[in-house]
């Protein structure tokens, strides 16, 4: 079977799909909550454009979930707000770790490099703490790909259906 004929995604692209949908769904929910508070017309237009763009991104990515290599049909009840808040913190810390890692490679001043390294290590520790919390509470079923992807679809649909 050629690559063009494949009906399932590869594992690595499934995981990237998960990261993109999960990150954009949380971001979309935040944008929709914040846009109501913006009085400046120009900034409000920029926010609305970003909301529409992210909605389109999610809508275009969701159909690929039917091609993931693992299907799940489990339902897990979790408290709605805590999963969102903890997932948002997880995304912030993950992005922070990535950004600090890049910044360290661009740093020539030893004292700044040491400071950034300390920040990176705190970010890694924070990421570990929030991941472990989410895993224990059932908000991030990291070892159950089917459940993880089902949560993505549920959160994406929730984000898309929110008013703004």
């Amino acid at each position: 079977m050629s690559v063009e004929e494949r009906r399932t995604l590869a594992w690595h692209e499934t995981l990237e799909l998960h990261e993109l949908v999960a990150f954009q769904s949380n971001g979309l929910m935040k944008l929709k909550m914040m846009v109501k508070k913006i009085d400046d017309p120009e900034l409000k237009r920029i926010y609305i454009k970003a909301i529409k763009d992210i909605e389109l991104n999610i809508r275009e990515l969701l159909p690929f979930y039917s091609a993931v290599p693992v299907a799940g049909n489990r339902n897990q009840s979790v408290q709605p707000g805590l999963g969102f808040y903890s997932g948002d913190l997880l995304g912030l810390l993950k992005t922070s770790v990535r950004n600090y890692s890049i910044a360290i490679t661009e740093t020539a001043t030893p004292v700044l490099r040491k400071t950034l390294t300390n920040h990176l290590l705190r970010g890694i520790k924070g990421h570990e703490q929030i991941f472990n919390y989410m895993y224990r509470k059932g908000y991030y079923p990291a070892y159950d790909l089917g459940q993880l992807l089902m949560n993505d679809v549920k959160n994406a649909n929730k984000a898309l259906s929110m008013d703004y």
Side-chain angles (χ1 to χ4, degrees):
M1 175 183 298
S2 72
V3 174
E4 293 82 19
E5 295 173 310
R6 292 202 54 89
R7 289 189 172 85
T8 60
L9 299 177
W11 288 100
H12 66 282
E13 58 190 348
T14 299
L15 294 173
E16 292 299 329
L17 178 66
H18 153 69
E19 292 289 340
L20 290 168
V21 171
F23 184 73
Q24 289 184 99
S25 295
N26 272 5
L28 181 60
M29 287 183 218
K30 286 192 310 189
L31 289 174
K32 286 182 172 182
M33 288 186 273
M34 291 186 294
V35 72
K36 299 170 188 169
K37 300 175 183 180
I38 297 174
D39 295 329
D40 181 272
E42 182 180 4
L43 181 57
K44 192 172 206 102
R45 279 192 304 275
I46 294 169
Y47 259 69
I48 290 171
K49 172 76 167 97
I51 287 169
K52 289 179 180 182
D53 288 348
I54 293 170
E55 285 179 335
L56 181 59
N57 291 352
I58 292 170
R59 282 191 177 99
E60 289 178 348
L61 290 174
L62 282 176
F64 289 98
Y65 276 73
S66 65
V68 299
V70 171
N73 63 16
R74 297 172 203 99
N75 283 323
Q76 187 172 7
S77 174
V78 295
Q79 192 173 351
L82 297 179
F84 171 74
Y85 294 130
S86 57
D88 190 49
L89 180 56
L90 182 75
L92 172 67
L93 292 171
K94 179 185 282 194
T95 302
S96 178
V97 166
R98 288 177 176 167
N99 290 346
Y100 271 103
S101 297
I102 293 166
I104 289 167
T105 67
E106 299 294 333
T107 304
T109 306
V111 68
L112 178 58
R113 184 181 308 109
K114 177 139 181 67
T115 300
L116 296 179
T117 300
N118 289 337
H119 292 190
L120 172 64
L121 294 173
R122 278 196 294 270
I124 292 168
K125 185 66 176 169
H127 182 274
E128 176 186 13
Q129 289 172 331
I130 194 62
F131 170 81
N132 288 335
Y133 167 85
M134 291 179 73
Y135 183 72
R136 272 193 329 273
K137 298 286 186 171
Y139 301 142
Y140 195 160
Y143 298 98
D144 185 339
L145 185 59
Q147 184 65 47
L148 190 69
L149 299 175
M150 281 179 42
N151 289 350
D152 288 348
V153 172
K154 182 182 80 178
N155 286 335
N157 286 322
K158 179 180 178 181
L160 290 170
S161 68
M162 284 177 66
D163 291 329
Y164 60 96

